[in-house]
Amino acid sequence: MAPREGPDPPPTDAGRRVARRIAGAYLLFGLAWIAISDLALVELTEGLPGFAGGSLIKGGVFVVITTVLLYFLASKQLQAVPGPAPAAPETGARRLGRYGPVVVFGALATLAVALVIAMFSHEANEHRGLARNDLIAILELKAGQIELLLAQRQATARSYSRSRGLRDDMTRFSQRRDPKAVSGITNRIEELRRDLEFDAVLVLDPSGRLVAGAGPDEMRRVSPALAAEAARSMTAGTPVSHFLHRDTQSPDGPILFDYITPLSATAGHTGSVGAIVLRENARGRFFRMIQEWPTHSATAEFLLVRRDGDTALFLNDVRHGKDTAFRLRRPLSEVNLPAVSAVRATTPLLMDGTDYRGASVVAASRQIAGTDWFLVTKIDRDEVLAPVRESAWFWLGTLLCMMLLAGLGVGVLWRQQMQLVVAREHADANERVALGKHLDLLSHHANDMILLVDSDARIVEANERAVERYEYPREVLIGMSAVKLGAPQEATQLGARLAEIRERKSASYESLHVTRTGRVFPVEISGHVVETAGGQYIQAVIRDLTLRRRAEEQLRKSEERYRALFERSLDCVYVADLEGNFLDANRAALDLLGYHRDQISEVSFRTLMSPEELQRAMTALNAAVRTGNQPETLELRLRKKDGSEVIVETKSAVVYDDIGPCAVQGIARDITERMKAETALRESEQRFRAMIEQSISGFYLIQDGKFAYVNSRFVEIFGYASPADIVGKSPSDLTAEKDRALVAGNIQRRLAGEVKSLHYTFSGLRKDGTEIDIGVHGSFTIYQGRPAIIGLLQDISDRKRAEDEIRRYVGQLEQAMQSTINVVATIGELRDPYTHGHERRVGEIAAAIATEMGLEHNQVNGIRIAGYMHDVGKIAVPAEILAKPAKLSKAEFDLVKDHAQQSYDILKTVPFPWPVAEAAWQHHERMDGSGYPRGLKGEEIIIEARILAVADTVEAMSSHRPYRPGLGIDKALAEIESCRGKLYCPSAVDACLRLFREKGYRLPA
């Protein structure tokens, strides 16, 4: 920098002593402040998001206060003149100088306290916001549980309302009130009550009177309200799935939760013959489920309310009251109550208010779908803000104590300083020294390069950043022409730009500069004219743009990457306005629809859809805009530009800006081939059914002493060309002479009713006159209102051929069973294409492991079948959860975990010769009991399930999933090896490792 005129006077011994005292006091105070305040913050704001902000504000307050105090003390102390100064008379200026620091300290202390109060006020708002977010999440979780329960109970009621036996009993009862019919109905509903674990099951006649009931007496009472509701349900023919009520005739009785489903008549009758009522005591599982709060809270609770006239009626017992269900009401005029606001609102609600106790609360609410109920979640505001308030009071007290201690310490030091030092003025000798001090100050705080250039474009001053960046020694940089700093391509313009700065007094521009080593870098230059008595200079502040340009380049590349993801997505991605006009679409969407990008303005929902499809799509979109919910997944038939049609599955989301909903963004997938595959699958099933129904035995129908029908196998046995050659003939025409009497007699015995059916053998007569041994089984029947004989026969003359045919038939049955299993697995995989082939591969791997373990062939086949069927329960899991490409929430994962129970419920009714249903139920159990759904462990888990657990883990880890790529077989084998004996069966793990590592087994394709 430029030299200063005159040396500074050396400090005196007294100055050094006072300086050491000030430095020591500053050090001790600073260490104490930082240690104590940080410990207090950690202790008081633990778990709160405001700790970082509080620590930052505290540190800033400390730096401001101590910097100001040191300025007042050190600015006088370090420039003291030698020796003590003579006492000066007490003047107003000296009095102000003495008490000035006290005034400044008091003002800054007040500011610090105000900042802390503001910080905790902001923290309280943030904490209340977090509490609101938690309330909304808990509300959605609980509302989803209630809606799922209602849907399950409604499905159960509908299923049992279709019971043929119960409807037959009620139909007979409606025709004749027979006590036996009542007994039969009672037995049926008692079994139903035990199976479904309801508190009671009632059957009512069309007038609402009780026909039969199962359960405790107090639960079998039919109130007038239930009778009226059941009558409405039977009249309308629709079920009632959420009739929650309290019997007004028994005010101390239970709260009843009824599911009412009408029973339709059978045997040609029409209308309802009664209703079945599935009843629960609402104070049992239902209220416990509602009142269960997911976290510990002293005041939080759920309220279930509905509008009842001009009041809001509380349907469940409140936490801070006793027996309030259907007793507690609040008029709709009390709009500050969350329960009242909930029933008055048409959309989900988030509010602050006062609850039924008069306490201030934070609350959220929304309607339970398909009901007139509203679920309200609330928590006391005092509980929400308690941690913040306690922290605020303690921290404020700590801060004031620290301020007081700091003030006392500084006051003592200030008193000593006022007695030891006097101020003296220190002025610059010339303008060059003043400019040098100016640049010195900038050098300590600026990250930019600063140059002082004279009228000849020569550098007269430069800060340390400029010396460092341009890589010139200071003595070389000072005096060098500023033109040499410009890159060669910019050097010719530098003189003109300096002239522009002098003319306009100030200017900014971008350029390229070069270092001493030749490295070129971009800069932004802000030049200002500085005029002094010694002449005119240009102060140039130069900012290195290297990092900014690099960030801009990274941002550009990031945008290109995201655009590439948009364009290269295999699914169709589009953006449209709220009228359905396309704003943008990726290449997949344009290719599917047959449009070019410059034709995107021509694409809209109206051009792509028929009027019916357009109405469906716009109805879903408008409902989403109106309610704030996302549109449901739709399957739509679209018309391409060339007129052909394509079927897509689309999922969309409403896009919002600062004003509100502005557009819709969606992802569509071409499912045309999938729909064709499903159609082909149905046709294949029909053909398969036809094949099963065909028999390898001869089928015949005898009526009026003649053959009325024979199948192709019958024709083949007797050597005729077609069924027409036999129809109309007498059975004796196809019987050898010696057995005609036997055949005729057996036919007559069945027609006369002596026997129902007969099995015997006789000698048949083929068309060419040869005799064959025939085994026949026939039974009496009524065909088209007249007696007939229907039966099967087989050529038993060639035993070997018959045995071959039997074996082929058994093989067909086994193939039929395997095909049925494959069909079931294929249906599940159509809902979850990401796990296509998973069940088949698990079955093959499990069979290989079982074979390696030395199990019997029949047991190995059973394990293979169990593998094919183990995930059939996923058909009950929503497809969007199975294909979700991100981490599942707890509620979503709980739904997925339920697939093991669903698999068991589906398979338990199939009479497999192996424990297929039990294996599917247990395949997620683990040896240490950490599995689900029952937490079985060790030998409690059957061997089939233990083998499936190993095979399922190996296949799942090796295969791709929507939320991750496949991990490979090596990691899968390492996983089961590391958890051998803990999670997985040791013998199954050892067999699997031998297969892959020693015997070269490979995963099935």
Side-chain angles (χ1 to χ4, degrees):
M1 306 301 283
R4 277 65 171 170
E5 291 190 2
D8 290 333
T12 64
D13 292 339
R16 291 192 185 94
R17 285 195 300 272
V18 174
R20 285 194 295 270
R21 291 175 184 173
I22 295 174
Y26 181 88
L27 176 63
L28 294 176
F29 177 70
L31 292 176
W33 174 285
I34 293 171
I36 296 175
S37 58
D38 274 348
L39 287 174
L41 274 178
V42 170
E43 197 62 33
L44 296 176
T45 63
E46 183 178 3
L48 297 178
F51 174 79
S55 183
L56 181 62
I57 293 174
K58 176 267 300 179
V61 171
F62 171 77
V63 170
V64 170
I65 293 175
T66 54
T67 300
V68 172
L69 291 177
L70 287 175
Y71 172 78
F72 277 98
L73 296 174
S75 63
K76 297 178 179 294
Q77 185 63 37
L78 297 180
Q79 298 174 7
V81 298
E90 184 73 6
T91 64
R94 288 182 61 81
R95 192 178 299 111
L96 179 61
R98 174 179 294 181
Y99 296 106
V102 177
V103 174
V104 173
F105 182 86
L108 290 175
T110 303
L111 176 62
V113 173
L115 286 175
V116 171
I117 293 175
M119 176 193 73
F120 280 101
S121 176
H122 175 71
E123 188 68 33
N125 291 332
E126 286 189 350
H127 208 59
R128 187 160 51 242
L130 292 174
R132 287 178 172 178
N133 292 338
D134 291 342
L135 280 180
I136 293 174
I138 293 171
L139 173 68
E140 290 298 327
L141 175 63
K142 187 62 66 176
Q145 292 176 347
I146 295 174
E147 291 168 355
L148 179 61
L149 174 65
L150 294 179
Q152 290 175 342
R153 291 307 192 194
Q154 184 175 4
T156 299
R158 283 180 174 173
S159 174
Y160 280 92
S161 70
R162 301 188 185 104
S163 170
R164 182 76 182 189
L166 182 58
R167 291 164 55 209
D168 287 340
D169 290 345
M170 284 300 296
T171 301
R172 288 193 296 271
F173 180 79
S174 66
Q175 297 170 352
R176 187 179 67 181
R177 296 180 175 271
D178 186 2
K180 292 184 178 179
V182 173
S183 177
I185 294 171
T186 302
N187 292 336
R188 290 182 186 276
I189 64 176
E190 178 60 32
E191 182 179 356
L192 172 62
R193 184 186 73 86
R194 289 196 303 269
D195 289 346
L196 299 183
E197 298 181 352
F198 281 95
D199 295 316
V201 178
L202 312 178
V203 176
L204 309 181
D205 64 13
S207 63
R209 293 191 299 271
L210 180 66
V211 174
D217 293 338
E218 66 272 12
M219 296 297 294
R220 289 190 289 177
R221 187 177 293 111
V222 179
S223 65
L226 173 59
E229 192 69 22
R232 284 194 293 269
S233 174
M234 287 183 280
T235 301
T238 57
V240 177
S241 63
H242 59 280
F243 185 47
L244 184 65
H245 62 103
R246 187 168 196 160
D247 190 354
T248 57
Q249 297 179 344
S250 179
D252 296 329
I255 307 298
L256 304 177
F257 191 9
D258 293 337
Y259 306 86
I260 307 170
T261 302
L263 297 172
S264 59
T266 61
H269 298 276
T270 59
S272 296
V273 295
I276 183 172
V277 180
L278 305 181
R279 170 168 288 179
E280 291 185 48
N281 186 341
R283 284 199 170 102
R285 289 176 296 180
F286 185 63
F287 278 7
R288 286 198 302 271
M289 181 189 72
I290 293 177
Q291 293 161 350
E292 183 181 11
W293 195 264
T295 59
H296 174 72
S297 173
T299 63
E301 64 176 321
F302 292 99
L303 302 176
L304 192 64
V305 298
R306 65 174 171 84
R307 184 167 185 163
D308 188 11
D310 294 329
T311 64
L313 177 62
F314 289 69
L315 305 182
N316 66 320
D317 295 326
V318 300
R319 179 174 185 173
H320 306 288
K322 185 177 181 181
D323 194 22
T324 58
F326 286 87
R327 297 183 188 276
L328 181 60
R329 297 175 180 267
R330 285 293 185 269
L332 296 184
S333 58
E334 296 182 7
V335 295
N336 201 37
L337 266 68
V340 173
S341 298
V343 301
R344 290 169 62 99
T346 59
T347 58
L349 189 65
L350 181 65
M351 66 172 293
D352 292 342
T354 305
D355 70 355
Y356 55 86
R357 301 169 296 152
S360 296
V361 296
V362 180
S365 68
R366 83 165 178 85
Q367 189 171 5
I368 301 300
T371 71
D372 58 351
W373 302 345
F374 293 84
L375 184 64
V376 181
T377 60
K378 70 178 186 69
I379 186 171
D380 285 8
R381 189 183 303 171
D382 288 341
E383 181 180 349
V384 173
L385 300 180
V388 178
R389 288 175 176 170
E390 294 173 2
S391 177
W393 283 112
F394 192 93
W395 170 235
L396 189 60
T398 302
L399 180 63
L400 291 176
C401 291
M402 295 299 295
M403 291 284 186
L404 180 60
L405 293 175
L408 292 175
V410 170
V412 173
L413 291 175
W414 181 253
R415 181 177 180 84
Q416 293 178 355
Q417 189 270 346
M418 290 296 292
Q419 294 174 351
L420 294 175
V421 298
V422 294
R424 72 176 182 86
E425 295 182 349
H426 185 76
D428 292 339
N430 51 47
E431 188 67 25
R432 188 175 183 82
V433 174
L435 290 174
K437 293 185 68 176
H438 173 66
L439 286 178
D440 278 345
L441 181 62
L442 292 177
S443 298
H444 286 88
H445 299 281
N447 192 41
D448 295 330
M449 298 163 282
I450 303 174
L451 301 178
L452 196 64
V453 181
D454 62 15
S455 57
D456 296 326
R458 295 200 172 274
I459 301 171
V460 297
E461 277 292 351
N463 69 346
E464 292 299 324
R465 177 61 175 159
V467 173
E468 174 188 344
R469 193 71 180 90
Y470 288 111
E471 302 176 3
Y472 286 98
R474 174 174 292 279
E475 59 271 16
V476 176
L477 187 62
I478 301 300
M480 190 174 74
S481 173
V483 177
K484 292 184 177 181
L485 298 180
Q489 59 268 38
E490 298 283 339
T492 56
Q493 303 179 18
L494 185 57
R497 286 171 172 167
L498 290 175
E500 180 186 358
I501 294 174
R502 290 191 180 93
E503 179 182 351
R504 297 172 56 186
K505 302 302 182 183
S506 177
S508 298
Y509 61 93
E510 292 186 1
S511 182
L512 295 175
H513 278 193
V514 63
T515 66
R516 182 183 181 186
T517 58
R519 188 167 62 84
V520 177
F521 59 97
V523 295
E524 179 184 61
I525 303 173
S526 298
H528 303 274
V529 174
V530 179
E531 296 183 356
T532 67
Q536 188 183 71
Y537 300 91
I538 294 177
Q539 178 181 292
V541 179
I542 305 169
R543 177 163 295 174
D544 187 350
L545 299 182
T546 302
L547 295 179
R548 183 197 297 178
R549 294 290 170 79
R550 187 181 302 163
E552 291 173 351
E553 179 64 17
Q554 291 175 347
L555 178 60
R556 183 187 64 79
K557 291 181 179 179
S558 176
E559 291 176 348
E560 291 177 353
R561 286 195 298 269
Y562 283 116
R563 186 67 190 182
L565 289 174
F566 175 80
E567 288 294 339
R568 296 173 184 173
S569 173
L570 298 179
D571 289 332
C572 303
V573 184
Y574 64 89
V575 180
D577 61 23
L578 298 181
E579 299 298 325
N581 301 308
F582 272 40
L583 304 176
D584 197 3
N586 69 344
R587 173 53 53 194
L590 295 175
D591 290 345
L592 177 66
L593 300 175
Y595 288 89
H596 297 292
R597 181 162 295 283
D598 55 3
Q599 298 173 323
I600 198 167
S601 60
E602 304 174 12
V603 186
S604 69
F605 290 178
R606 292 178 178 82
T607 62
L608 298 176
M609 303 178 193
S610 66
E612 296 78 10
E613 295 287 79
L614 177 63
Q615 182 178 5
R616 277 207 308 134
M618 294 306 296
T619 299
L621 175 59
N622 293 334
V625 172
R626 184 175 62 255
T627 63
N629 299 324
Q630 294 302 330
E632 60 183 1
T633 301
L634 297 176
E635 291 184 0
L636 299 172
R637 190 178 296 273
L638 303 184
R639 182 171 54 249
K640 299 169 64 172
K641 185 179 180 182
D642 60 8
S644 61
E645 289 189 343
V646 63
I647 304 173
V648 300
E649 180 181 71
T650 178
K651 177 69 175 180
S652 57
V654 178
V655 180
Y656 294 84
D657 58 12
D658 295 338
I659 300 176
C662 62
V664 59
Q665 181 177 12
I667 298 177
R669 178 173 297 171
D670 183 1
I671 61 170
T672 306
E673 294 303 322
R674 191 183 83 187
M675 298 297 289
K676 291 180 180 179
E678 290 176 352
T679 301
L681 180 61
R682 286 192 295 271
E683 293 175 352
S684 176
E685 289 176 344
Q686 293 174 355
R687 290 192 299 270
F688 176 73
R689 187 177 299 109
M691 179 189 71
I692 292 298
E693 291 172 353
Q694 292 177 355
S695 173
I696 64 173
S697 299
F699 178 87
Y700 66 91
L701 178 70
I702 300 173
Q703 194 170 52
D704 300 329
K706 304 292 184 181
F707 286 107
Y709 171 80
V710 294
N711 68 348
S712 58
R713 176 58 180 158
F714 188 102
V715 173
E716 178 184 353
I717 290 174
F718 286 94
Y720 288 85
S722 68
D725 295 336
I726 298 178
V727 172
K729 288 182 176 292
S730 169
S732 61
D733 295 337
L734 302 180
T735 306
E737 180 68 26
K738 62 180 180 179
D739 288 334
R740 286 176 181 173
L742 172 66
V743 172
N746 286 336
I747 292 175
Q748 186 59 36
R749 289 175 63 196
R750 283 170 284 181
L751 292 175
E754 296 179 13
V755 292
K756 180 68 175 178
S757 63
L758 282 175
H759 177 76
Y760 61 98
T761 63
F762 69 94
S763 294
L765 190 63
R766 291 172 56 87
K767 182 179 181 181
D768 59 3
T770 59
E771 292 186 3
I772 55 176
D773 293 329
I774 299 295
V776 64
H777 184 279
S779 300
F780 174 82
T781 187
I782 299 296
Y783 177 68
Q784 295 181 347
R786 290 180 296 154
I789 301 296
I790 187 171
L792 295 173
L793 58 78
Q794 185 59 274
D795 179 5
I796 61 173
S797 59
D798 190 345
R799 295 290 181 179
K800 183 177 184 305
R801 184 176 61 187
E803 290 174 357
D804 291 339
E805 289 296 325
I806 292 173
R807 282 195 295 271
R808 184 172 66 84
Y809 182 66
V810 171
Q812 285 181 331
L813 291 179
E814 291 177 350
Q815 183 180 2
M817 183 180 69
Q818 185 63 47
S819 299
T820 303
I821 292 170
N822 291 339
V823 167
V824 173
T826 302
I827 292 173
E829 291 172 355
L830 286 175
R831 300 185 70 254
D832 183 15
Y834 290 99
T835 58
H836 179 76
H838 165 73
E839 292 178 288
R840 180 183 57 80
R841 290 191 292 271
V842 169
E844 295 301 328
I845 296 171
I849 293 173
T851 302
E852 179 66 19
M853 293 173 64
L855 300 184
E856 294 181 1
H857 177 73
N858 183 55
Q859 191 173 13
V860 171
N861 285 337
I863 291 173
R864 178 182 286 106
I865 298 302
Y868 286 176
M869 306 291 287
H870 75 282
D871 276 346
V872 68
K874 285 187 178 178
I875 198 170
V877 180
E880 58 269 27
I881 294 180
L882 294 177
K884 183 175 181 180
K887 183 178 180 181
L888 298 181
S889 67
K890 183 178 183 302
E892 291 171 337
F893 186 60
D894 287 341
L895 285 176
V896 173
K897 287 170 59 178
D898 195 46
H899 80 276
Q901 180 67 47
Q902 296 291 344
S903 297
Y904 174 76
D905 292 339
I906 292 172
L907 298 173
K908 67 183 181 180
T909 59
V910 180
F912 288 109
W914 314 283
V916 174
E918 191 69 28
W921 197 9
Q922 297 182 14
H923 78 278
H924 278 293
E925 303 288 355
R926 295 297 180 256
M927 297 296 288
D928 60 357
S930 61
Y932 64 88
R934 293 182 288 170
L936 303 180
K937 59 183 179 179
E939 295 301 321
E940 295 175 346
I941 308 170
I942 63 175
I943 186 64
E944 288 85 354
R946 283 180 267 161
I947 293 174
L948 280 182
V950 174
D952 191 29
T953 301
V954 170
E955 199 287 329
M957 291 185 65
S958 303
S959 302
H960 293 290
R961 289 294 181 267
Y963 51 85
R964 61 155 175 81
L967 302 178
I969 187 62
D970 292 333
K971 287 191 176 179
L973 296 179
E975 169 64 16
I976 63 171
E977 186 175 28
S978 64
C979 297
R980 177 185 181 275
K982 179 182 178 183
L983 302 181
Y984 308 111
C985 174
S987 58
V989 170
D990 294 342
C992 182
L993 295 177
R994 286 196 303 273
L995 282 173
F996 283 93
R997 293 178 176 175
E998 300 176 12
K999 299 188 177 181
Y1001 183 82
R1002 293 291 181 268
L1003 288 173

